[in-house]
Tab-separated table of all heavy atoms in Angstrom:
chain	number	residue	atom	x	y	z
A	18	MET	N	0.810	-1.214	0.000
A	18	MET	CA	0.000	0.000	0.000
A	18	MET	C	0.844	1.265	0.000
A	18	MET	O	0.356	2.346	-0.242
A	18	MET	CB	-0.973	-0.007	1.171
A	18	MET	CG	-0.355	0.307	2.526
A	18	MET	SD	-1.570	-0.139	3.778
A	18	MET	CE	-1.051	0.819	5.157
A	19	PHE	N	2.155	1.108	0.230
A	19	PHE	CA	3.003	2.276	0.191
A	19	PHE	C	3.713	2.419	-1.157
A	19	PHE	O	4.410	3.373	-1.390
A	19	PHE	CB	4.055	2.225	1.297
A	19	PHE	CG	3.456	2.297	2.663
A	19	PHE	CD1	3.710	1.302	3.580
A	19	PHE	CD2	2.641	3.355	3.012
A	19	PHE	CE1	3.150	1.369	4.845
A	19	PHE	CE2	2.072	3.431	4.268
A	19	PHE	CZ	2.328	2.428	5.192
A	20	GLY	N	3.500	1.452	-2.051
A	20	GLY	CA	4.109	1.539	-3.369
A	20	GLY	C	5.618	1.614	-3.293
A	20	GLY	O	6.239	0.948	-2.477
A	21	LYS	N	6.196	2.477	-4.133
A	21	LYS	CA	7.647	2.556	-4.179
A	21	LYS	C	8.182	3.639	-3.266
A	21	LYS	O	9.340	3.958	-3.287
A	21	LYS	CB	8.101	2.854	-5.610
A	21	LYS	CG	7.771	1.759	-6.576
A	21	LYS	CD	8.135	2.220	-7.995
A	21	LYS	CE	7.264	1.486	-8.994
A	21	LYS	NZ	6.727	2.358	-10.025
A	22	LYS	N	7.293	4.229	-2.541
A	22	LYS	CA	7.694	5.344	-1.703
A	22	LYS	C	8.703	4.900	-0.649
A	22	LYS	O	8.587	3.827	-0.080
A	22	LYS	CB	6.460	5.888	-1.000
A	22	LYS	CG	6.669	7.257	-0.417
A	22	LYS	CD	5.336	7.751	0.101
A	22	LYS	CE	5.519	9.046	0.856
A	22	LYS	NZ	4.279	9.441	1.502
A	23	SER	N	9.672	5.736	-0.427
A	23	SER	CA	10.620	5.432	0.638
A	23	SER	C	10.544	6.538	1.668
A	23	SER	O	9.980	7.597	1.432
A	23	SER	CB	12.033	5.289	0.085
A	23	SER	OG	12.436	6.477	-0.528
A	24	TYR	N	11.153	6.270	2.795
A	24	TYR	CA	11.083	7.203	3.891
A	24	TYR	C	12.428	7.858	4.110
A	24	TYR	O	13.425	7.176	4.283
A	24	TYR	CB	10.627	6.477	5.154
A	24	TYR	CG	9.334	5.758	4.916
A	24	TYR	CD1	9.324	4.419	4.581
A	24	TYR	CD2	8.144	6.458	4.974
A	24	TYR	CE1	8.135	3.765	4.318
A	24	TYR	CE2	6.950	5.825	4.714
A	24	TYR	CZ	6.949	4.478	4.382
A	24	TYR	OH	5.773	3.856	4.116
A	25	GLY	N	12.437	9.161	4.057
A	25	GLY	CA	13.698	9.873	4.235
A	25	GLY	C	13.833	10.407	5.650
A	25	GLY	O	12.896	10.954	6.212
A	26	CYS	N	15.019	10.235	6.191
A	26	CYS	CA	15.292	10.779	7.510
A	26	CYS	C	15.395	12.295	7.405
A	26	CYS	O	16.148	12.818	6.597
A	26	CYS	CB	16.593	10.190	8.048
A	26	CYS	SG	17.128	10.972	9.572
A	27	GLY	N	14.612	12.993	8.214
A	27	GLY	CA	14.620	14.446	8.175
A	27	GLY	C	15.933	15.045	8.654
A	27	GLY	O	16.236	16.190	8.373
A	28	ALA	N	16.704	14.269	9.384
A	28	ALA	CA	17.932	14.804	9.961
A	28	ALA	C	19.147	14.614	9.062
A	28	ALA	O	19.976	15.497	8.939
A	28	ALA	CB	18.185	14.165	11.314
A	29	CYS	N	19.272	13.453	8.411
A	29	CYS	CA	20.477	13.208	7.620
A	29	CYS	C	20.179	12.826	6.178
A	29	CYS	O	21.081	12.684	5.383
A	29	CYS	CB	21.340	12.138	8.285
A	29	CYS	SG	20.651	10.487	8.197
A	30	GLY	N	18.907	12.648	5.830
A	30	GLY	CA	18.562	12.382	4.444
A	30	GLY	C	18.655	10.919	4.026
A	30	GLY	O	18.386	10.585	2.875
A	31	MET	N	19.027	10.050	4.937
A	31	MET	CA	19.076	8.634	4.587
A	31	MET	C	17.688	8.131	4.224
A	31	MET	O	16.697	8.574	4.787
A	31	MET	CB	19.614	7.817	5.771
A	31	MET	CG	21.104	7.592	5.712
A	31	MET	SD	21.665	6.516	7.052
A	31	MET	CE	21.251	4.907	6.401
A	32	GLN	N	17.646	7.196	3.283
A	32	GLN	CA	16.364	6.671	2.831
A	32	GLN	C	16.129	5.287	3.409
A	32	GLN	O	17.048	4.476	3.489
A	32	GLN	CB	16.348	6.585	1.300
A	32	GLN	CG	16.516	7.920	0.610
A	32	GLN	CD	15.246	8.736	0.632
A	32	GLN	OE1	14.165	8.239	0.322
A	32	GLN	NE2	15.353	10.001	1.026
A	33	PHE	N	14.876	5.036	3.761
A	33	PHE	CA	14.528	3.733	4.312
A	33	PHE	C	13.309	3.189	3.602
A	33	PHE	O	12.429	3.936	3.187
A	33	PHE	CB	14.259	3.851	5.812
A	33	PHE	CG	15.462	4.326	6.552
A	33	PHE	CD1	15.653	5.677	6.752
A	33	PHE	CD2	16.409	3.427	7.000
A	33	PHE	CE1	16.787	6.137	7.406
A	33	PHE	CE2	17.546	3.870	7.653
A	33	PHE	CZ	17.734	5.228	7.864
A	34	LYS	N	13.272	1.888	3.495
A	34	LYS	CA	12.177	1.219	2.805
A	34	LYS	C	10.939	1.165	3.693
A	34	LYS	O	9.815	1.262	3.221
A	34	LYS	CB	12.628	-0.199	2.435
A	34	LYS	CG	11.910	-0.779	1.275
A	34	LYS	CD	12.629	-2.050	0.812
A	34	LYS	CE	12.858	-3.014	1.985
A	34	LYS	NZ	13.359	-4.327	1.526
A	35	ASP	N	11.170	1.014	4.963
A	35	ASP	CA	10.045	0.911	5.890
A	35	ASP	C	10.051	2.034	6.913
A	35	ASP	O	11.096	2.510	7.306
A	35	ASP	CB	10.111	-0.417	6.656
A	35	ASP	CG	10.002	-1.589	5.728
A	35	ASP	OD1	9.010	-1.659	4.987
A	35	ASP	OD2	10.923	-2.422	5.723
A	36	ARG	N	8.876	2.392	7.315
A	36	ARG	CA	8.743	3.456	8.295
A	36	ARG	C	9.404	3.062	9.615
A	36	ARG	O	10.017	3.866	10.288
A	36	ARG	CB	7.254	3.749	8.517
A	36	ARG	CG	7.009	5.036	9.238
A	36	ARG	CD	5.542	5.282	9.373
A	36	ARG	NE	4.926	4.255	10.206
A	36	ARG	CZ	3.660	4.261	10.576
A	36	ARG	NH1	2.875	5.204	10.147
A	36	ARG	NH2	3.161	3.331	11.339
A	37	GLU	N	9.261	1.790	9.956
A	37	GLU	CA	9.864	1.296	11.194
A	37	GLU	C	11.378	1.472	11.169
A	37	GLU	O	11.992	1.807	12.173
A	37	GLU	CB	9.552	-0.183	11.383
A	37	GLU	CG	8.081	-0.446	11.601
A	37	GLU	CD	7.820	-0.852	13.044
A	37	GLU	OE1	8.599	-1.660	13.565
A	37	GLU	OE2	6.854	-0.351	13.624
A	38	ASP	N	11.964	1.205	9.994
A	38	ASP	CA	13.410	1.357	9.873
A	38	ASP	C	13.813	2.806	10.124
A	38	ASP	O	14.816	3.079	10.768
A	38	ASP	CB	13.880	0.923	8.483
A	38	ASP	CG	13.765	-0.579	8.307
A	38	ASP	OD1	13.615	-1.279	9.320
A	38	ASP	OD2	13.834	-1.043	7.160
A	39	LEU	N	13.030	3.709	9.571
A	39	LEU	CA	13.326	5.129	9.770
A	39	LEU	C	13.207	5.495	11.242
A	39	LEU	O	14.060	6.180	11.791
A	39	LEU	CB	12.367	5.983	8.931
A	39	LEU	CG	12.399	7.482	9.232
A	39	LEU	CD1	13.787	8.075	9.013
A	39	LEU	CD2	11.372	8.214	8.373
A	40	LEU	N	12.166	5.019	11.876
A	40	LEU	CA	11.985	5.334	13.293
A	40	LEU	C	13.122	4.762	14.127
A	40	LEU	O	13.637	5.422	15.022
A	40	LEU	CB	10.635	4.794	13.780
A	40	LEU	CG	9.424	5.496	13.164
A	40	LEU	CD1	8.130	4.854	13.638
A	40	LEU	CD2	9.418	6.979	13.504
A	41	ASN	N	13.509	3.527	13.831
A	41	ASN	CA	14.626	2.918	14.550
A	41	ASN	C	15.902	3.719	14.340
A	41	ASN	O	16.659	3.972	15.279
A	41	ASN	CB	14.850	1.477	14.081
A	41	ASN	CG	13.770	0.556	14.596
A	41	ASN	OD1	13.134	0.844	15.607
A	41	ASN	ND2	13.550	-0.547	13.903
A	42	HIS	N	16.129	4.094	13.093
A	42	HIS	CA	17.301	4.891	12.753
A	42	HIS	C	17.289	6.201	13.526
A	42	HIS	O	18.280	6.595	14.130
A	42	HIS	CB	17.310	5.153	11.243
A	42	HIS	CG	18.222	6.265	10.825
A	42	HIS	ND1	19.567	6.102	10.598
A	42	HIS	CD2	17.957	7.576	10.604
A	42	HIS	CE1	20.092	7.270	10.262
A	42	HIS	NE2	19.140	8.186	10.251
A	43	ALA	N	16.158	6.873	13.510
A	43	ALA	CA	16.065	8.171	14.178
A	43	ALA	C	16.321	8.034	15.674
A	43	ALA	O	16.982	8.874	16.285
A	43	ALA	CB	14.691	8.784	13.930
A	44	GLN	N	15.825	6.956	16.239
A	44	GLN	CA	16.028	6.753	17.669
A	44	GLN	C	17.475	6.444	17.991
A	44	GLN	O	18.044	6.970	18.937
A	44	GLN	CB	15.144	5.602	18.164
A	44	GLN	CG	13.690	6.025	18.250
A	44	GLN	CD	12.817	4.907	18.807
A	44	GLN	OE1	13.282	3.786	18.980
A	44	GLN	NE2	11.580	5.217	19.085
A	45	GLU	N	18.065	5.563	17.168
A	45	GLU	CA	19.423	5.141	17.468
A	45	GLU	C	20.454	6.206	17.122
A	45	GLU	O	21.392	6.450	17.871
A	45	GLU	CB	19.759	3.844	16.716
A	45	GLU	CG	19.081	2.660	17.365
A	45	GLU	CD	19.175	1.410	16.501
A	45	GLU	OE1	20.068	1.353	15.626
A	45	GLU	OE2	18.356	0.500	16.699
A	46	ILE	N	20.305	6.804	15.959
A	46	ILE	CA	21.327	7.727	15.480
A	46	ILE	C	21.098	9.161	15.949
A	46	ILE	O	22.025	9.885	16.267
A	46	ILE	CB	21.398	7.720	13.929
A	46	ILE	CG1	21.499	6.287	13.415
A	46	ILE	CG2	22.567	8.561	13.431
A	46	ILE	CD1	22.761	5.551	13.837
A	47	HIS	N	19.860	9.554	15.976
A	47	HIS	CA	19.593	10.967	16.259
A	47	HIS	C	18.896	11.181	17.592
A	47	HIS	O	18.334	12.236	17.838
A	47	HIS	CB	18.734	11.558	15.137
A	47	HIS	CG	19.334	11.378	13.779
A	47	HIS	ND1	20.553	11.895	13.412
A	47	HIS	CD2	18.882	10.719	12.682
A	47	HIS	CE1	20.815	11.555	12.161
A	47	HIS	NE2	19.816	10.838	11.694
A	48	ASP	N	18.872	10.177	18.418
A	48	ASP	CA	18.302	10.329	19.745
A	48	ASP	C	16.814	10.704	19.691
A	48	ASP	O	16.299	11.407	20.541
A	48	ASP	CB	19.091	11.383	20.514
A	48	ASP	CG	18.929	11.204	22.011
A	48	ASP	OD1	18.469	10.129	22.433
A	48	ASP	OD2	19.242	12.141	22.743
A	49	LYS	N	16.178	10.277	18.653
A	49	LYS	CA	14.743	10.335	18.381
A	49	LYS	C	14.055	11.692	18.438
A	49	LYS	O	12.861	11.810	18.192
A	49	LYS	CB	13.978	9.342	19.271
A	49	LYS	CG	13.737	9.747	20.708
A	49	LYS	CD	12.953	8.624	21.379
A	49	LYS	CE	13.110	8.668	22.881
A	49	LYS	NZ	12.497	7.504	23.497
A	50	LYS	N	14.796	12.735	18.706
A	50	LYS	CA	14.113	14.022	18.784
A	50	LYS	C	14.087	14.766	17.458
A	50	LYS	O	13.331	15.698	17.277
A	50	LYS	CB	14.798	14.907	19.820
A	50	LYS	CG	14.473	14.460	21.212
A	50	LYS	CD	15.219	15.296	22.232
A	50	LYS	CE	15.053	14.716	23.620
A	50	LYS	NZ	16.070	15.213	24.538
A	51	THR	N	14.955	14.334	16.535
A	51	THR	CA	15.103	15.129	15.330
A	51	THR	C	14.105	14.805	14.236
A	51	THR	O	13.926	15.587	13.336
A	51	THR	CB	16.516	14.967	14.754
A	51	THR	OG1	16.840	13.600	14.780
A	51	THR	CG2	17.509	15.745	15.563
A	52	THR	N	13.469	13.644	14.319
A	52	THR	CA	12.574	13.291	13.235
A	52	THR	C	11.126	13.179	13.687
A	52	THR	O	10.808	12.423	14.579
A	52	THR	CB	13.011	11.971	12.572
A	52	THR	OG1	14.318	12.131	12.068
A	52	THR	CG2	12.079	11.603	11.430
A	53	TYR	N	10.301	13.959	13.042
A	53	TYR	CA	8.868	13.874	13.283
A	53	TYR	C	8.244	13.229	12.068
A	53	TYR	O	8.514	13.626	10.943
A	53	TYR	CB	8.277	15.274	13.487
A	53	TYR	CG	8.782	15.906	14.751
A	53	TYR	CD1	10.001	16.557	14.771
A	53	TYR	CD2	8.026	15.819	15.912
A	53	TYR	CE1	10.483	17.119	15.937
A	53	TYR	CE2	8.499	16.378	17.084
A	53	TYR	CZ	9.722	17.025	17.093
A	53	TYR	OH	10.187	17.578	18.243
A	54	LEU	N	7.423	12.246	12.313
A	54	LEU	CA	6.856	11.495	11.212
A	54	LEU	C	5.342	11.606	11.222
A	54	LEU	O	4.690	11.379	12.238
A	54	LEU	CB	7.268	10.032	11.358
A	54	LEU	CG	7.015	9.138	10.157
A	54	LEU	CD1	7.931	9.542	9.004
A	54	LEU	CD2	7.300	7.708	10.541
A	55	CYS	N	4.784	11.987	10.068
A	55	CYS	CA	3.333	12.051	9.946
A	55	CYS	C	2.801	10.642	9.741
A	55	CYS	O	3.160	9.983	8.773
A	55	CYS	CB	2.960	12.935	8.757
A	55	CYS	SG	1.198	12.898	8.424
A	56	ILE	N	1.981	10.166	10.667
A	56	ILE	CA	1.489	8.801	10.539
A	56	ILE	C	0.394	8.690	9.488
A	56	ILE	O	0.010	7.610	9.091
A	56	ILE	CB	0.968	8.243	11.877
A	56	ILE	CG1	-0.125	9.139	12.443
A	56	ILE	CG2	2.107	8.084	12.857
A	56	ILE	CD1	-0.846	8.499	13.622
A	57	THR	N	-0.124	9.813	9.038
A	57	THR	CA	-1.178	9.782	8.034
A	57	THR	C	-0.622	9.590	6.632
A	57	THR	O	-1.131	8.782	5.858
A	57	THR	CB	-2.002	11.073	8.089
A	57	THR	OG1	-2.458	11.252	9.422
A	57	THR	CG2	-3.202	10.990	7.151
A	58	CYS	N	0.421	10.318	6.278
A	58	CYS	CA	0.956	10.192	4.920
A	58	CYS	C	2.432	9.813	4.905
A	58	CYS	O	3.041	9.754	3.856
A	58	CYS	CB	0.728	11.477	4.133
A	58	CYS	SG	1.711	12.853	4.703
A	59	ASP	N	3.022	9.573	6.087
A	59	ASP	CA	4.393	9.102	6.198
A	59	ASP	C	5.466	10.083	5.738
A	59	ASP	O	6.565	9.691	5.404
A	59	ASP	CB	4.572	7.773	5.460
A	59	ASP	CG	3.777	6.675	6.148
A	59	ASP	OD1	3.818	6.612	7.378
A	59	ASP	OD2	3.117	5.896	5.442
A	60	GLU	N	5.142	11.328	5.745
A	60	GLU	CA	6.193	12.310	5.493
A	60	GLU	C	6.943	12.548	6.787
A	60	GLU	O	6.362	12.477	7.869
A	60	GLU	CB	5.579	13.628	5.029
A	60	GLU	CG	5.499	13.763	3.522
A	60	GLU	CD	5.222	15.198	3.111
A	60	GLU	OE1	6.118	16.032	3.297
A	60	GLU	OE2	4.120	15.467	2.639
A	61	SER	N	8.218	12.866	6.677
A	61	SER	CA	8.964	13.144	7.900
A	61	SER	C	9.459	14.587	7.906
A	61	SER	O	9.662	15.202	6.871
A	61	SER	CB	10.140	12.178	8.026
A	61	SER	OG	11.034	12.360	6.964
A	62	PHE	N	9.653	15.090	9.099
A	62	PHE	CA	10.044	16.489	9.263
A	62	PHE	C	11.129	16.582	10.311
A	62	PHE	O	11.154	15.818	11.260
A	62	PHE	CB	8.828	17.312	9.693
A	62	PHE	CG	7.691	17.155	8.739
A	62	PHE	CD1	6.785	16.132	8.918
A	62	PHE	CD2	7.569	17.986	7.646
A	62	PHE	CE1	5.749	15.937	8.003
A	62	PHE	CE2	6.546	17.800	6.735
A	62	PHE	CZ	5.634	16.774	6.913
A	63	GLU	N	12.011	17.548	10.114
A	63	GLU	CA	13.112	17.610	11.057
A	63	GLU	C	12.818	18.470	12.268
A	63	GLU	O	13.572	18.483	13.222
A	63	GLU	CB	14.401	18.049	10.381
A	63	GLU	CG	14.380	19.440	9.841
A	63	GLU	CD	15.692	19.746	9.128
A	63	GLU	OE1	16.723	19.772	9.796
A	63	GLU	OE2	15.669	19.947	7.907
A	64	ASN	N	11.736	19.196	12.236
A	64	ASN	CA	11.408	19.922	13.451
A	64	ASN	C	9.904	19.959	13.679
A	64	ASN	O	9.108	19.723	12.768
A	64	ASN	CB	12.010	21.330	13.446
A	64	ASN	CG	11.523	22.142	12.272
A	64	ASN	OD1	10.330	22.403	12.161
A	64	ASN	ND2	12.430	22.515	11.399
A	65	GLU	N	9.552	20.257	14.889
A	65	GLU	CA	8.156	20.151	15.272
A	65	GLU	C	7.289	21.194	14.593
A	65	GLU	O	6.141	20.944	14.252
A	65	GLU	CB	8.037	20.284	16.795
A	65	GLU	CG	6.652	19.904	17.267
A	65	GLU	CD	6.521	19.990	18.777
A	65	GLU	OE1	7.508	20.341	19.443
A	65	GLU	OE2	5.425	19.714	19.269
A	66	SER	N	7.847	22.379	14.362
A	66	SER	CA	7.017	23.407	13.755
A	66	SER	C	6.632	23.051	12.323
A	66	SER	O	5.494	23.273	11.916
A	66	SER	CB	7.691	24.776	13.838
A	66	SER	OG	8.948	24.743	13.231
A	67	SER	N	7.563	22.487	11.540
A	67	SER	CA	7.164	22.078	10.182
A	67	SER	C	6.168	20.944	10.241
A	67	SER	O	5.263	20.857	9.407
A	67	SER	CB	8.339	21.615	9.320
A	67	SER	OG	9.559	21.932	9.854
A	68	PHE	N	6.364	20.074	11.220
A	68	PHE	CA	5.443	18.957	11.368
A	68	PHE	C	4.037	19.447	11.685
A	68	PHE	O	3.058	19.043	11.061
A	68	PHE	CB	5.942	18.033	12.476
A	68	PHE	CG	4.990	16.937	12.823
A	68	PHE	CD1	4.714	15.939	11.913
A	68	PHE	CD2	4.360	16.920	14.065
A	68	PHE	CE1	3.818	14.922	12.232
A	68	PHE	CE2	3.475	15.909	14.393
A	68	PHE	CZ	3.198	14.907	13.470
A	69	ARG	N	3.938	20.357	12.606
A	69	ARG	CA	2.624	20.890	12.977
A	69	ARG	C	1.975	21.624	11.802
A	69	ARG	O	0.782	21.505	11.549
A	69	ARG	CB	2.757	21.855	14.153
A	69	ARG	CG	2.926	21.106	15.455
A	69	ARG	CD	3.234	22.071	16.564
A	69	ARG	NE	3.492	21.356	17.806
A	69	ARG	CZ	2.548	21.062	18.690
A	69	ARG	NH1	1.299	21.421	18.486
A	69	ARG	NH2	2.848	20.411	19.786
A	70	MET	N	2.788	22.388	11.105
A	70	MET	CA	2.291	23.111	9.940
A	70	MET	C	1.746	22.133	8.910
A	70	MET	O	0.682	22.352	8.323
A	70	MET	CB	3.441	23.924	9.326
A	70	MET	CG	3.010	24.879	8.265
A	70	MET	SD	2.058	26.244	8.961
A	70	MET	CE	3.380	27.303	9.567
A	71	HIS	N	2.457	21.053	8.715
A	71	HIS	CA	2.025	20.028	7.775
A	71	HIS	C	0.688	19.437	8.208
A	71	HIS	O	-0.228	19.277	7.396
A	71	HIS	CB	3.085	18.928	7.691
A	71	HIS	CG	2.609	17.683	7.011
A	71	HIS	ND1	2.590	17.535	5.651
A	71	HIS	CD2	2.110	16.536	7.525
A	71	HIS	CE1	2.100	16.341	5.353
A	71	HIS	NE2	1.801	15.710	6.468
A	72	MET	N	0.568	19.097	9.466
A	72	MET	CA	-0.662	18.502	9.974
A	72	MET	C	-1.845	19.443	9.781
A	72	MET	O	-2.929	19.029	9.386
A	72	MET	CB	-0.518	18.165	11.466
A	72	MET	CG	0.486	17.060	11.746
A	72	MET	SD	0.237	15.576	10.773
A	72	MET	CE	-1.087	14.812	11.720
A	73	ILE	N	-1.607	20.715	10.043
A	73	ILE	CA	-2.693	21.687	9.903
A	73	ILE	C	-3.078	21.869	8.437
A	73	ILE	O	-4.239	21.820	8.061
A	73	ILE	CB	-2.272	23.031	10.522
A	73	ILE	CG1	-2.140	22.871	12.036
A	73	ILE	CG2	-3.279	24.121	10.173
A	73	ILE	CD1	-1.402	24.014	12.711
A	74	ARG	N	-2.068	22.060	7.604
A	74	ARG	CA	-2.347	22.343	6.195
A	74	ARG	C	-2.862	21.144	5.434
A	74	ARG	O	-3.767	21.248	4.616
A	74	ARG	CB	-1.083	22.851	5.515
A	74	ARG	CG	-0.740	24.240	5.970
A	74	ARG	CD	0.250	24.858	5.028
A	74	ARG	NE	0.469	26.250	5.400
A	74	ARG	CZ	1.491	26.977	4.985
A	74	ARG	NH1	2.385	26.436	4.191
A	74	ARG	NH2	1.613	28.222	5.339
A	75	ASN	N	-2.251	19.986	5.675
A	75	ASN	CA	-2.611	18.823	4.864
A	75	ASN	C	-3.699	17.959	5.472
A	75	ASN	O	-4.427	17.298	4.756
A	75	ASN	CB	-1.378	17.957	4.600
A	75	ASN	CG	-0.371	18.675	3.720
A	75	ASN	OD1	-0.712	19.656	3.070
A	75	ASN	ND2	0.835	18.217	3.710
A	76	HIS	N	-3.779	17.955	6.761
A	76	HIS	CA	-4.742	17.046	7.394
A	76	HIS	C	-5.729	17.754	8.298
A	76	HIS	O	-6.580	17.132	8.912
A	76	HIS	CB	-3.986	15.978	8.185
A	76	HIS	CG	-2.921	15.297	7.378
A	76	HIS	ND1	-3.190	14.608	6.213
A	76	HIS	CD2	-1.585	15.209	7.563
A	76	HIS	CE1	-2.044	14.131	5.734
A	76	HIS	NE2	-1.070	14.486	6.527
A	77	LYS	N	-5.561	19.050	8.411
A	77	LYS	CA	-6.479	19.846	9.225
A	77	LYS	C	-6.617	19.327	10.653
A	77	LYS	O	-7.690	19.282	11.220
A	77	LYS	CB	-7.853	19.926	8.562
A	77	LYS	CG	-7.762	20.485	7.140
A	77	LYS	CD	-9.118	20.882	6.640
A	77	LYS	CE	-9.075	21.796	5.441
A	77	LYS	NZ	-8.129	21.474	4.401
A	78	ILE	N	-5.479	18.905	11.176
A	78	ILE	CA	-5.488	18.451	12.569
A	78	ILE	C	-4.934	19.570	13.452
A	78	ILE	O	-3.853	20.075	13.174
A	78	ILE	CB	-4.604	17.186	12.729
A	78	ILE	CG1	-5.294	16.044	12.004
A	78	ILE	CG2	-4.401	16.855	14.207
A	78	ILE	CD1	-4.465	14.785	11.938
B	9	ZN	ZN1	19.227	10.113	9.952
B	10	ZN	ZN1	0.845	14.005	6.485
């Protein structure tokens, strides 16, 4: 259901095939604070303000 989409780390740009891999990477390498991941469309953001902006604009949350 995710097609060919990959997940990019917001902090270092590494690409991951699975969202879980990205989350694990972010936790292990970046101490989990640097990557915010939208669970609705799987976009990632390197800071909370862009993440919140995304949620408001794209998902009206
Ligand atoms: Zn990274
Ligand atoms: Zn989203």
Side-chain angles (χ1 to χ4, degrees):
M18 76 193 202
F19 295 124
K21 296 174 206 135
K22 196 173 173 187
S23 60
Y24 305 96
C26 172
C29 71
M31 267 185 80
Q32 299 283 312
F33 299 91
K34 205 168 52 171
D35 298 304
R36 194 178 64 175
E37 294 251 317
D38 290 344
L39 170 59
L40 293 177
N41 287 336
H42 163 84
Q44 286 183 352
E45 285 169 21
I46 310 296
H47 305 299
D48 203 15
K49 78 179 158 187
K50 285 177 188 162
T51 45
T52 300
Y53 293 83
L54 192 68
C55 173
I56 57 169
T57 306
C58 69
D59 293 316
E60 266 194 69
S61 63
F62 305 88
E63 65 183 295
N64 59 63
E65 191 178 0
S66 57
S67 347
F68 173 67
R69 282 173 184 269
M70 190 70 81
H71 166 83
M72 293 309 280
I73 293 165
R74 289 196 174 163
N75 293 343
H76 309 301
K77 304 194 163 43
I78 291 173

